[in-house]
Each structure stands twice: as structure tokens, then as C-alpha cells.
């Protein structure tokens, strides 16, 4: 049938099973928005307050559901406002398709009003960037964009369409989405070598990253841990793959990882990395990382093998598929002495905090208790992000959403809106710092406009907490531009933007506030006022070996 380019865009979205998009209209994309209006019963459009919020919402939707998130923007500043959100998705391998529209084809390259080469701008932060100048290529380009976003190691794809293409008319024929390439490149020998290394180990440790979430391999990871009789740590992106209540689970690894994970990995003789990329925040001093261990890395992206840490063996392909094969070959193993040692480390070095007053760790424990650990937790970036990772016990994947690789302040509010749209049956809570909220508080108006019942918990210490922590420990307490103790009243702001607001200043108010926010079934901001000098521990100084992890007790001993 003959359709306009804009109608073809919408039909292609429907082909891909898209039910929700996030965006902001403007001149060049008006034809697409007119077509969306005609299909508003089939595709829900969420008008965000800023295009960056739309990109983060598409990202949060994708992380929470495993489906491709979609965001829309017009040309020029509309498109460039998506860039931070696209980069955030790229660093964490999140499947997002960003659709922008540009000026008419004859105006390209002439510095026309609101013209930007957004395909060129986003080339380094996408799996692929397209610009569609020919309506005959439009449908296939959109289909290919979704395929690229999903296949192998997922990531964002940008499709920029000139306005005259959206206005033109062309023959459209519906197609079902094709199968995605698995990206598997392993051989039988790779599997045999992996099994052999695992069987030879006396002190094995499993290190789980975000790839295990993406591949849906959590059951296989848990089965592997049982067969290997091995302790398991995770990265920020790997939360929920291993049940946080499992006795084998030792907590996060790296700069703010537990002492048990950091010391255990430093002592192990085999480290099995599952969908993890050995980032600098995990590894610390690369030359001294897991120096007693052989390294077995399993990842879908061959470029990650030997990129940061040299491996002794590797298997390239889909983690779920590979672990299914490995688990079939492994006998039941036993490492009683090694596990006893890890248990002793856990008992000797538990996570702890000052329980005398209101603190973020206490708040996270109460959220865990009130929601029975079933909430989807989203975070912004900073101290609150680490506390949320440490003190809520994630029992399933896709229940912790956070900007790991890019560390994007302002990520969380847009992302929690996307998560709630994708998982309406779940309680969705964003943990934000007061510094982060200043970057994205306009999205409270988005939640209020649609009455999306998200909960925004603001950990307000009146400072840029993580930066202040570094200034305290490493910069002689010179608090340059990190004090935010001014006249901003977040509860009044939230009410002014159409949300409910609750202020918490005492421990006994926390559970009641969370319960009340859930019962209201509308967007609620809970401001929690904590001391300015609370710190995230344990900690590894940048560039130091992770075995040099320290906490508040160690600092007190040195003092």
C-alpha cells in the first residue's frame, strides 16, 4: 500500500512490537508526530520535558524489559539533546533506537535553520548511525536499526530522516522482524579448554557483569556457581544475576566493592569472568589484578578479550548458550576449604554503617524490607548509587538500573519513568542525590502529566557527596564547588511540578514514607535529609590494587 514516509516509520515501529516511545516534537519531525497521532491507540507517546529525559526513558524502558527502547527528537538542538542519553546507552550496551528528523534534502550542508549532522555527531557513541535521504530505503533502514540494536552485543542506533522523506509517498509492505545474529564464534575446543580450567582450579571465583543480564543467563550462572562450588561477585551492571541472599554471593567487586570480593579475587587461582569487561573501576591496578589467578573470560564481544586484562582462555559468544554447554560437561565439584575461607572473610568484613542516625544505607534496607525486595531500583550517579548497589539485596536481573560506564548524573528520573512504563506491575523507585536532581528535576512534570506512579527518593546531604568524599580523603578537605546548601526546597519544587512530596529527617519516618508513596499510586518525591559527610565504604583509591581496599575502621586505626 502507498504510505507517506512518516506513516512508514510508524508502521515499522508497530512491526517491531513497539508499544511506547518517548520524545519531543519540532519542525522537521512534525510529519512523524502527525502519523503517531493517528496511531495513538497502538503506540503510547510520552512527552518528556527535555530530549535528554526521552533518551534516558528509552534506556530505562529497555533495561527493565529487555526490549528495544525508542526515543524521538527533531533536528538541531532536539537531536543534540539526545547525545548524552545515547552515550549512556552505548557504554552499558543498552538497545535503543533514536529516531531524529533533519531539514529537507536540498538544505542539508547549508547551515540551514536547526540543521546538525547528528549522524556524524553520534557516530562514536552508536553501533551505527544512518541518515535516510531516499524514501525507498526508509523501511529497510528502520528494520535494520532495530536488528543492529538487539543483535550480538546490544547498543543504540540512530536513524536520521530528512523531512522531505517523511512527506513523500512510497509502497509499504509489512514484514515480520527477522532473527538476530547470535554473535557466537566459539569452537568445541574453547568449551573443552574452559571446562578443563574450571576442573583444575582449587580456589575459583566467579565475576559476573552486565552481559549476564543482557543474555538472560541468570539461571545458568547460578547453576555454574553450584557446580563449581565457587563464590560469586558482581559488577554494578551485573546486579541480580546472582541472588543477593545466596550464601555464595560476596557482593560487588571494585572501587566500592566488598572486602570479601576484592580480597577473594586477589587470592583466587581461577577467575571466571561472565559478560564482564574488566573496567578500571573494577580492576584498579591492572598489573596487580587477580595476579594469582588464571583468567577465563566469556563474552559476546571478541573486542573485549584481552583488552584490559590478559586472559588464559576465552569463549566468544552468547553467555546463556555457552554456559548451557559448559554446565553439561562439568561434574559436581567441591572446594570446602576455599569456601570456608571466603565465609570467614564475609564474617570478618561485613558491610556496615553508622546506625545512630538517618543514612542512605538504612533507607535502602527499609526500601528492601517494605517492598519485599521486589522493587525495580533505578539510580542516578554518586554516593547514593553505591549505597543502593550495596544495601538492597537484588534477587533477580533487570531490577537494578544505573548508568555504569558513562556515570551520567541526571540519568535516573527519566530512566525510572521508562522503567515504570515498561514494568507497570512493579514498584519503580529512583534513588537520586540532590546534585543529580538539580540536573533533571523537570522530568517530575512528565511523571505528573501522565500520573506515572514513580517514587523519587532524594538523598539530600546538601553537597556533591562523592566528589566531596574524594576532596576529604585526597584533596585536603578543600571543598571547591561541592557545597549545595542553598535555598532550594525539593518538596516545594515537586509539588509545584504536580507531584506529591514527603520530607524525612528521622529513621522512624522512612518505612512509613515509602509505604505511603506506594499507596498513593501517583508520582511522589521523598526527600531524605542526611549528614553531609557520610561516606561510601569500602573504597579502593584510584589506580591502587583492589587488595588495598579500606573502610572507615581502617581510617580510624591510621588516625
Amino acid at each position: 500500500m502507498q504510505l507517506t514516509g512518516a506513516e512508514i516509520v510508524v508502521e515499522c515501529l508497530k512491526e517491531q512490537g513497539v508499544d511506547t516511545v518517548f520524545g519531543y516534537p519540532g519542525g522537521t519531525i512534525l510529519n512523524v508526530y502527525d502519523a503517531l497521532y493517528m496511531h495513538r491507540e497502538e503506540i503510547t507517546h510520552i512527552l518528556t520535558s527535555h530530549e535528554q529525559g526521552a533518551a534516558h526513558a528509552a534506556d530505562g524502558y529497555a533495561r527493565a524489559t529487555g526490549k528495544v527502547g525508542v526515543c524521538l527528537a527533531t533536528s538541531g538542538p532536539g537531536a543534540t539533546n539526545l547525545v548524552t542519553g545515547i552515550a549512556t546507552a552505548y557504554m552499558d550496551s543498552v538497545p535503543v533506537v533514536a529516531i531524529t528528523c533533519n531539514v529537507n534534502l536540498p538544505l542539508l550542508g547549508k547551515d540551514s535553520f536547526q540543521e546538525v549532522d547528528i549522524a556524524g555527531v553520534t557516530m562514536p557513541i552508536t553501533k551505527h548511525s544512518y541518515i535516510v535521504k531516499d524514501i525507498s530505503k526508509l523501511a529497510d533502514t528502520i528494520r535494520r536499526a532495530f536488528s543492529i540494536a538487539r543483535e550480538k552485543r546490544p547498543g543504540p542506533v540512530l536513524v536520521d530522516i530528512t523531512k522531505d522523506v517523511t512527506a513523500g509517498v512510497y509502497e509499504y509492505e509489512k514484514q515480520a522482524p527477522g532473527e538476530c545474529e547470535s554473535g557466537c564464534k566459539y569452537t568445541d575446543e574453547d568449551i573443552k579448554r574452559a571446562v578443563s580450567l574450571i576442573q583444575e582450579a582449587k580456589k575459583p571465583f566467579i565475576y559476573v557483569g552486565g552481559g549476564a543480564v543482557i543474555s538472560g543467563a541468570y539461571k545458568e550462572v547460578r547453576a555454574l556457581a553450584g557446580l563449581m562450588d565457587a563464590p560469586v561477585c558482581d559488577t554494578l551492571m551485573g546486579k541480580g544475576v546472582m541472588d543477593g541472599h545466596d550464601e555464595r554471593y560476596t557482593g560487588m567487586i571494585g572501587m566500592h566493592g566488598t572486602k570479601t570480593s576484592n580480597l577473594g579475587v586477589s587470592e583466587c587461582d581461577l577467575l571466571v569472568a561472565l559478560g564482564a569487561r574488566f573496567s578500571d573501576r573494577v580492576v584498579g591496578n591492572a598489573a596487580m589484578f587477580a595476579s594469582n589467578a588464571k583468567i577465563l573470560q566469556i563474552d559476546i564481544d571478541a573486542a573485549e578479550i584481552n583488552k584490559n586484562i590478559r586472559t588464559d582462555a576465552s569463549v566468544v559468544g552468547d553467555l546463556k548458550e555457552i554456559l548451557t554447554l559448559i554446565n553439561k560437561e562439568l561434574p559436581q565439584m567441591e572446594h570446602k576449604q576455599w569456601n570456608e575461607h571466603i565465609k570467614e572473610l564475609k564474617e570478618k568484613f561485613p558491610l556496615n554503617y553508622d546506625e545512630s542516625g538517618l543514612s542512605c544505607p538504612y533507607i535502602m534496607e527499609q526500601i528492601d524490607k517494605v517492598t519485599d525486595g521486589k522493587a525495580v531500583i533505578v539510580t542516578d550517579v554518586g554516593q547514593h548509587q553505591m549505597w543502593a548497589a550495596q544495601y538492597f539485596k537484588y534477587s533477580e536481573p533487570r531490577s537494578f538500573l544505573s548508568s555504569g560506564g558513562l556515570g551520567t548524573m541526571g540519568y535516573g528520573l527519566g530512566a525510572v519513568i521508562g522503567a515504570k512504563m515498561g514494568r507497570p506491575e512493579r514498584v519503580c523507585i529512583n534513588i537520586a542525590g540532590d546534585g543529580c536532581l538539580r540536573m533533571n528535576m523537570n522530568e517530575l512534570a512528565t511523571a505528573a502529566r501522565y500520573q506515572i506512579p514513580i517514587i523519587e527518593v532524594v538523598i539530600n546531604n546538601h553537597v556533591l557527596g562523592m566528589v566531596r568524599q574524594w576532596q576529604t580523603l585526597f584533596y585536603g578537605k578543600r571543598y571547591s564547588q561541592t557545597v549545595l546548601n542553598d535555598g532550594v526546597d525539593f518538596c516545594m519544587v515537586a509539588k509545584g511540578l504536580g507531584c506529591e512530596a514527603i520530607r524525612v529527617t528521622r529513621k522512624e519516618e522512612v518505612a512509613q514514607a515509602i509505604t505511603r508513596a506506594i499507596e498513593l499510586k501517583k508520582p511522589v518525591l521523598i526527600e531524605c535529609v542526611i549528614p553531609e559527610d557520610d561516606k561510601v565504604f569500602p573504597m579502593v583509591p584510584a589506580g591502587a590494587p583492589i587488595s588495598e581496599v579500606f573502610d572507615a575502621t581502617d581510617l580510624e586505626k591510621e588516625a
Side-chain angles (χ1 to χ4, degrees):
M1 53 185 163
Q2 294 282 315
L3 297 179
T4 67
E7 290 168 336
I8 289 172
V9 170
V10 175
E11 290 299 328
C12 287
L13 293 178
K14 289 161 60 179
E15 282 179 7
Q16 301 295 327
V18 174
D19 54 22
T20 307
V21 298
F22 307 88
Y24 205 96
T28 62
I29 202 170
L30 276 178
N31 292 328
V32 174
Y33 270 80
D34 196 49
L36 279 170
Y37 181 85
M38 304 304 292
H39 293 270
R40 61 191 181 277
E41 300 300 321
E42 299 152 283
I43 298 177
T44 298
H45 180 282
I46 300 297
L47 174 66
T48 55
S49 299
H50 189 281
E51 291 89 352
Q52 184 175 335
H56 292 325
D59 174 303
Y61 178 94
R63 294 193 206 218
T65 64
K67 298 192 289 186
V68 178
V70 179
C71 57
L72 310 174
T74 195
S75 62
T80 58
N81 282 343
L82 294 176
V83 169
T84 297
I86 292 171
T88 300
Y90 183 74
M91 289 291 283
D92 291 342
S93 305
V94 181
V96 168
V97 170
I99 297 175
T100 58
C101 288
N102 218 319
V103 299
N104 288 325
L105 183 57
L107 296 176
L108 279 180
K110 297 184 177 180
D111 295 332
S112 305
F113 177 67
Q114 289 194 333
E115 181 201 354
V116 164
D117 178 13
I118 193 62
V121 169
T122 58
M123 192 177 295
I125 54 167
T126 54
K127 288 185 74 178
H128 201 87
S129 290
Y130 292 98
I131 179 164
V132 183
K133 305 175 186 178
D134 180 348
I135 193 171
S136 69
K137 296 180 171 61
L138 178 59
D140 286 343
T141 300
I142 292 174
R143 291 164 183 149
R144 184 67 185 132
F146 274 84
S147 179
I148 291 172
R150 281 193 303 259
E151 69 188 11
K152 301 178 183 176
R153 181 178 183 171
V157 178
L158 178 120
V159 180
D160 191 35
I161 310 165
T162 60
K163 186 173 182 179
D164 43 4
V165 167
T166 68
V169 176
Y170 193 73
E171 186 71 21
Y172 164 78
E173 186 175 334
K174 185 176 180 179
Q175 288 186 17
E179 290 294 316
C180 290
E181 292 184 40
S182 69
C184 289
K185 299 180 180 179
Y186 63 86
T187 65
D188 290 342
E189 286 301 314
D190 293 333
I191 300 295
K192 289 177 182 177
R193 174 65 174 147
V195 170
S196 177
L197 273 180
I198 292 170
Q199 287 185 282
E200 291 168 6
K202 304 299 182 187
K203 297 189 291 183
F205 217 116
I206 297 173
Y207 151 50
V208 178
V213 175
I214 294 166
S215 71
Y218 75 101
K219 291 181 180 177
E220 290 74 16
V221 171
R222 295 176 187 187
L224 177 68
L227 288 168
M228 286 178 59
D229 193 25
V232 183
C233 64
D234 59 17
T235 67
L236 198 65
M237 295 292 96
K239 289 286 167 192
V241 173
M242 200 67 181
D243 188 339
H245 303 88
D246 194 295
E247 63 180 6
R248 298 186 190 281
Y249 179 64
T250 62
M252 197 161 60
I253 184 177
M255 180 172 284
H256 293 292
T258 64
K259 282 192 171 185
T260 302
S261 293
N262 286 342
L263 295 176
V265 166
S266 298
E267 296 175 20
C268 73
D269 65 2
L270 174 68
L271 183 63
V272 181
L274 305 177
R277 60 188 179 86
F278 296 101
S279 92
D280 59 299
R281 285 297 174 102
V282 165
V283 168
N285 185 321
M288 301 180 71
F289 179 75
S291 55
N292 299 309
K294 291 181 178 179
I295 307 292
L296 168 60
Q297 185 176 7
I298 305 174
D299 202 281
I300 199 163
D301 188 352
E304 291 297 343
I305 308 300
N306 296 319
K307 185 174 86 174
N308 295 326
I309 295 293
R310 298 295 300 179
T311 63
D312 294 274
S314 61
V315 189
V316 176
D318 178 73
L319 185 63
K320 184 181 178 74
E321 181 178 323
I322 290 167
L323 290 188
T324 299
L325 295 174
I326 289 175
N327 288 345
K328 285 180 180 178
E329 298 298 319
L330 275 180
Q332 179 61 55
M333 306 176 74
E334 185 177 341
H335 302 290
K336 187 174 181 180
Q337 189 173 351
W338 172 237
N339 283 304
E340 283 295 324
H341 173 63
I342 297 299
K343 183 179 178 182
E344 289 170 5
L345 289 177
K346 287 173 74 172
E347 291 171 353
K348 185 177 180 181
F349 301 118
L351 284 174
N352 60 77
Y353 62 93
D354 182 356
E355 299 184 27
S356 61
L358 183 62
S359 67
C360 190
Y362 177 81
I363 293 163
M364 292 313 306
E365 289 178 343
Q366 290 302 301
I367 292 173
D368 194 338
K369 183 176 180 181
V370 170
T371 64
D372 194 28
K374 301 300 184 184
V376 174
I377 301 295
V378 185
T379 80
D380 274 285
V381 172
Q383 288 179 315
H384 60 277
Q385 177 189 31
M386 296 298 108
W387 283 318
Q390 291 172 334
Y391 288 96
F392 188 101
K393 294 190 183 300
Y394 301 92
S395 57
E396 60 183 69
R398 301 196 181 280
S399 56
F400 177 78
L401 318 181
S402 190
S403 172
L406 198 64
T408 306
M409 291 178 69
Y411 166 81
L413 189 47
V416 77
I417 289 170
K420 186 63 178 179
M421 291 303 298
R423 303 285 296 277
E425 79 287 358
R426 299 291 289 272
V427 173
C428 295
I429 302 174
N430 181 45
I431 311 300
D434 51 321
C436 291
L437 184 60
R438 290 165 184 261
M439 295 192 174
N440 67 5
M441 64 174 75
N442 48 3
E443 298 306 337
L444 288 170
T446 304
R449 178 184 299 116
Y450 298 100
Q451 286 297 290
I452 303 169
I454 55 99
I455 300 172
E456 175 84 351
V457 176
V458 185
I459 308 301
N460 188 0
N461 55 6
H462 298 98
V463 293
L464 297 177
M466 187 63 87
V467 187
R468 181 184 176 89
Q469 178 167 330
W470 280 60
Q471 288 173 332
T472 300
L473 296 173
F474 309 118
Y475 288 86
K477 299 185 179 181
R478 295 182 293 277
Y479 301 121
S480 178
Q481 304 304 317
T482 51
V483 178
L484 306 176
N485 195 10
D486 48 31
V488 177
D489 186 321
F490 292 119
C491 287
M492 288 184 67
V493 169
K495 290 177 181 177
L497 292 173
C499 301
E500 296 290 331
I502 304 168
R503 179 173 286 115
V504 170
T505 58
R506 295 179 297 129
K507 292 173 69 174
E508 50 267 33
E509 297 170 341
V510 175
Q512 182 180 355
I514 298 161
T515 302
R516 176 65 177 151
I518 294 170
E519 290 172 348
L520 283 170
K521 298 189 186 314
K522 57 175 64 176
V524 180
L525 179 142
I526 303 174
E527 180 188 16
C528 300
V529 182
I530 70 167
E532 63 184 16
D533 277 318
D534 281 4
K535 294 180 177 63
V536 175
F537 289 118
M539 184 177 185
V540 178
I546 60 171
S547 57
E548 293 184 12
V549 58
F550 67 90
D551 58 21
T553 305
D554 297 317
L555 289 179
E556 290 167 5
K557 289 177 182 176
E558 288 181 10

